[in-house]
Amino acid sequence: MKGLRLDALRDPAAPLAFLEGYEEAAAKADLFWQDRAAGSGEGSLTAQQFIAEVPDGSWAGSLTVLMEEPGTEDWAGYTIERRQGHVVGVYVRPEHRGNGLIKSLLDAGVDWAWRRGAERVRLLVHEDNSRAQGAYRKAGFGPSGLVVPFVKDAAQNELEFVLER
């Protein structure tokens, strides 16, 4: 998990796609990564990480779905109005892009959220990350109209994309 995340943070699109930087993530102790894996592993009801593994056992990509409950607040301070899945941490290694892998990961994540009673699944994508927006559209997600300031620079925006049940 740590290796894939560090590779993701070295990707040219990382400043638009992830909230943390490489140095910050690389400095985290192994216990952090172990706890993160346990919290989004098999059997968790609140978060699930999905991994795309290639035949040699290496990881080609991953994403995590967080369950958000009505009446709670999300990371941006907005009130969650209905039970939903929130896709975060999406990354596919460059050599595995363009072959439908991202859609397979998203399909698995959406299915997990549906089985937990989600009414919709959402994700946020930077307004300038057109490659990611295209991948999400191909997987059936579309803009909801909600625009939130980008955490790292309030002059930039993130767009909410959703898939309704």
Side-chain angles (χ1 to χ4, degrees):
M1 175 187 279
K2 180 180 179 180
L4 185 65
R5 179 65 172 192
L6 293 177
D7 287 350
L9 294 173
R10 285 189 281 251
D11 189 273
L16 299 179
F18 301 107
L19 300 181
E20 70 182 334
Y22 175 83
E23 292 78 17
E24 178 186 352
K28 292 179 178 172
D30 286 345
L31 184 57
F32 168 85
W33 297 102
Q34 293 164 1
D35 287 346
R36 189 173 187 169
S40 62
E42 202 62 41
S44 173
L45 300 177
T46 58
Q48 186 73 54
Q49 184 174 20
F50 294 87
I51 305 297
E53 186 176 339
V54 294
D56 70 3
S58 63
W59 290 4
S62 81
L63 61 78
T64 300
V65 180
L66 311 173
M67 290 305 298
E68 296 178 325
E69 300 298 333
T72 62
E73 284 190 2
D74 69 7
W75 60 273
Y78 291 93
T79 300
I80 304 299
E81 296 180 6
R82 50 192 169 151
R83 185 169 175 81
Q84 62 190 14
H86 186 160
V87 177
V88 298
V90 179
Y91 177 69
V92 172
R93 294 184 192 279
E95 64 271 23
H96 298 286
R97 293 178 186 159
N99 63 4
L101 183 59
I102 188 67
K103 184 173 182 330
S104 295
L105 283 166
L106 286 164
D107 286 349
V110 166
D111 180 63
W112 180 84
W114 291 161
R115 287 185 282 119
R116 270 142 198 83
E119 295 177 36
R120 72 181 198 151
V121 178
R122 73 175 183 148
L123 54 85
L124 294 169
V125 59
H126 192 280
E127 62 190 348
D128 294 335
N129 195 344
S130 57
R131 183 184 79 206
Q133 288 181 37
Y136 300 144
R137 286 178 194 277
K138 282 184 181 178
F141 287 77
S144 70
L146 178 65
V147 177
V148 297
F150 186 42
V151 171
K152 295 181 346 186
D153 181 353
Q156 300 176 32
N157 293 310
E158 288 192 295
L159 312 174
E160 181 186 61
F161 275 46
V162 298
L163 180 62
E164 298 286 344
R165 186 163 189 139

